[in-house]
Amino acid sequence: MLPASPDTYEQYTSRMQHRERYRVGAFTYDVGDIDGVAVVLSSPPPIGSFSMTAIDTYLMEQVFHPRILIDPGTAGSHLPLLSMGDVVIGARVVNFSNYMSRADGTIVPGQFTALVSDHEGYADGNPNPEYLYSDPQLVHMAYSAAQEVAKYTPALILHGKVGRKPWIMEYGTQGSGAAWLRNVRAIKESTTIFHEVDEAGNYPIALVSTINRTPFVEIHTISDAAINVPTKMDKYFHQCSVYAQDRSNRIALAMIAQLAAKTYDNTLAFFGGNRDPYPPGSFSASAVAPNYVQDWTRANGIHR
């Protein structure tokens, strides 16, 4: 599943053999072989639409019956030390825009069908965010592929004096919402409640895959760090978006190469979804920056 922007579709189709194109309603799918592995590609229109992404994912999984689903994309960082070029493997996904607010604007997490009491007459319900979990074997695949692909991020992308090795987070909590947060106060409040390390629009992909019992994994390279400097939709932002999407695509292609080499099994039984398959503390431990990232940040700071 590829985001519509930036347009990097050719990065896959240029390597695809026996390519055929199918149109299902408003959606287009490319089917063929990459490294001898059967692949179906989709890029849901328009970018940022939860409903269109959900419909596209559902149609793709019902029509083509993929054994696994990989979502490579870009994301904005919600952690101060997670910066451009760093990679988050989404071992779990949460919809941070799924909340109601009290009259004072305070966020109350939980499903709309199980409203928590906010002293305004609602019945008590489940106050916890709903996480969806990726398949552990796919997470490990993605992490090993990212280590193979993402060796170095240049100073130009990091906007620092020098580049560095990227931070690859294996057990990341990816935040997903129909809203795009650019206000630092709102980001900090959301992160306190939902514990997301980044934000993108991939929750519908995880939700539909969970419903269809299709093993899935999200791979997002950081293209924006609004927690440090408010987002500016300028040439630098576009440059980072293209760089980040290219890195995520190359990780996905490395995973396909692993499947071709039979390094991993592509007949996975569904594992994850609503059930947490990871040891306690995996997500909080993974969100702590490695020492080399901390050292680089102290030396370089934020210059843009």
Side-chain angles (χ1 to χ4, degrees):
M1 301 289 296
L2 298 173
S5 176
D7 182 5
T8 56
Y9 214 62
E10 192 178 355
Q11 202 166 348
Y12 295 89
T13 55
S14 64
R15 297 182 52 172
M16 185 175 277
Q17 301 295 316
H18 312 111
R19 179 184 172 190
E20 294 184 46
R21 174 160 284 189
Y22 294 88
R23 185 89 174 172
V24 183
F27 303 96
T28 301
Y29 304 94
D30 282 284
V31 180
D33 297 341
I34 297 178
D35 296 335
V37 177
V39 174
V40 54
L41 300 176
S42 179
S43 181
I47 188 169
S49 169
F50 260 32
S51 356
M52 294 290 274
T53 301
I55 295 168
D56 185 32
T57 307
Y58 183 80
L59 286 173
M60 185 179 75
E61 292 184 352
Q62 290 296 310
V63 173
F64 299 101
H65 304 289
R67 298 195 178 210
I68 63 175
L69 187 141
I70 303 171
D71 170 40
T74 67
S77 169
H78 279 201
L79 295 183
L81 298 187
L82 187 66
S83 197
M84 280 67 68
D86 293 339
V87 179
V88 176
I89 310 300
R92 69 178 181 180
V93 185
V94 62
N95 180 0
F96 65 73
S97 65
N98 183 16
Y99 65 85
M100 70 175 181
S101 70
R102 295 190 173 96
D104 64 3
T106 306
I107 292 175
V108 182
Q111 296 297 305
F112 287 115
T113 53
L115 299 175
V116 297
S117 174
D118 67 350
H119 309 294
E120 293 180 355
Y122 294 105
D124 288 342
N126 176 16
N128 300 313
E130 182 181 41
Y131 294 105
L132 297 175
Y133 297 88
S134 301
D135 182 90
Q137 186 171 330
L138 286 180
V139 167
H140 185 67
M141 268 181 76
Y143 182 68
S144 63
Q147 289 180 309
E148 174 189 333
V149 166
K151 301 288 190 183
Y152 184 78
T153 303
L156 177 66
I157 296 299
L158 284 163
H159 223 292
K161 301 171 187 174
V162 296
R164 65 163 168 80
K165 175 184 174 182
W167 175 8
I168 302 173
M169 188 185 300
E170 183 169 11
Y171 302 109
T173 301
Q174 291 186 328
S176 181
W180 182 354
L181 303 183
R182 295 171 67 183
N183 178 274
V184 172
R185 181 195 58 77
I187 291 173
K188 288 180 178 178
E189 183 180 3
S190 175
T191 303
T192 299
I193 294 168
F194 296 101
H195 307 293
E196 76 276 10
V197 302
D198 70 7
E199 72 168 90
N202 56 323
Y203 188 83
I205 296 173
L207 180 61
V208 171
S209 296
T210 295
I211 293 169
N212 286 334
R213 300 185 65 78
T214 303
F216 66 91
V217 67
E218 319 279 356
I219 304 162
H220 285 168
T221 301
I222 299 301
S223 58
D224 179 48
I227 194 69
N228 294 322
V229 179
T231 301
K232 293 182 179 178
M233 313 297 283
D234 54 11
K235 183 178 178 181
Y236 173 67
F237 176 86
H238 177 72
Q239 181 182 45
C240 288
S241 296
V242 172
Y243 184 90
Q245 186 62 49
D246 173 82
R247 173 162 284 179
S248 292
N249 289 346
R250 286 188 292 113
I251 293 169
L253 288 167
M255 292 178 70
I256 293 172
Q258 290 176 344
L259 291 171
K262 301 191 184 302
T263 308
Y264 288 90
D265 182 12
N266 70 338
T267 59
L268 295 172
F270 180 74
F271 192 38
N274 297 112
R275 176 188 173 190
D276 183 355
Y278 301 102
S282 297
F283 295 97
S284 55
S286 187
V288 177
N291 288 335
Y292 69 86
V293 173
Q294 298 185 37
D295 293 343
W296 183 93
T297 306
R298 277 192 292 269
N300 284 269
I302 303 295
H303 299 286
R304 60 188 191 285

